[in-house]
Each structure stands twice: as C-alpha cells, then as structure tokens.
Amino acid sequence: MQSTESAQSEFFSECDEILLRFSSKLSKVEKDGCADAESISALYRDMHTLKGSAQLFGFRAISQVAHAMEAALEPIRRLKLQIPAVLIDALFKSIDLVDRIVKESAQSKKEESEK
C-alpha cells in the first residue's frame, strides 16, 4: 500500500503536470485568438481533474480555485462560445495562484515529514 507521503508527492507532481499542460493550451488559445471545442474541453477536463484530486487529498484552496476555473469554462464549453480575453487573463492569474498554493503546500508537507 502506498504511503500517504508518497501519494501526496504524486499528487503534487500531477498538479505540476496539469498546470503546465493547462498553461500551454491556454497560451495557444490566446495566440490563435480562438479555441476549438476540443481545446476548451481539454482545459475544462484538466480543471475537473485538478479539482477532484485536490478534494481527495484535502487541499481545499486548490480545489476551490480549480472549481471556479472549471465553472468559468463551463458556459464556453457547453455553448461553444469564443473565450474572451478577460477570461484568458483571469485563467492565467488563477493558474499562478494554484501554482503558488501547490508549491507552498508541498514545501509545508516536506517540512512536516522532516520533523
């Protein structure tokens, strides 16, 4: 059975992967000036996954930000709308926030395990 410490380490690694993938896809959407349905669905799924994983491990702040991002993408995805520049900016700021929370949480867990 995997230890809690190992599982949390895997969670933090998964967060990093999701955030990098999300940021890369969002940068492409911003550069192209539009997004196809597949791109928006991929962005939505990444936030859905991040939200669920954060909830599973008890990282409420990460879950709440991911949920807000997911909710912001839902009407774009469902109604097949173009993603406005203001939403792209807000999503980039949200990614930065989640990244900071992940790094601080990982550091905190590492310090706890070293005691």
Side-chain angles (χ1 to χ4, degrees), residues 18 33 46 51 60 65 67 79 84 87 91 103 107 115:
I18 289 171
D46 277 341
K51 177 187 76 174
R60 186 177 169 96
V65 176
H67 177 71
L79 300 173
L87 179 55
L91 291 170
K103 285 181 176 29
Q107 183 62 35
K115 290 181 182 179

Side-chain angles (χ1 to χ4, degrees), residues 5 9-10 12 18 21 28 30 38 41 50 52-53 58-59 66 69-70 72 78 80 88 91 100 108 112 115:
E5 188 176 306
S9 177
E10 192 172 314
F12 292 130
I18 289 171
R21 186 172 54 239
K28 183 173 179 347
E30 181 180 45
E38 183 178 323
S41 288
L50 182 62
S53 294
F59 293 100
M69 294 170 72
E70 178 187 37
R78 190 173 33 83
K80 298 184 180 11
I88 290 173
L91 291 170
R100 282 195 309 273
S108 176
E112 277 180 27
K115 290 181 182 179

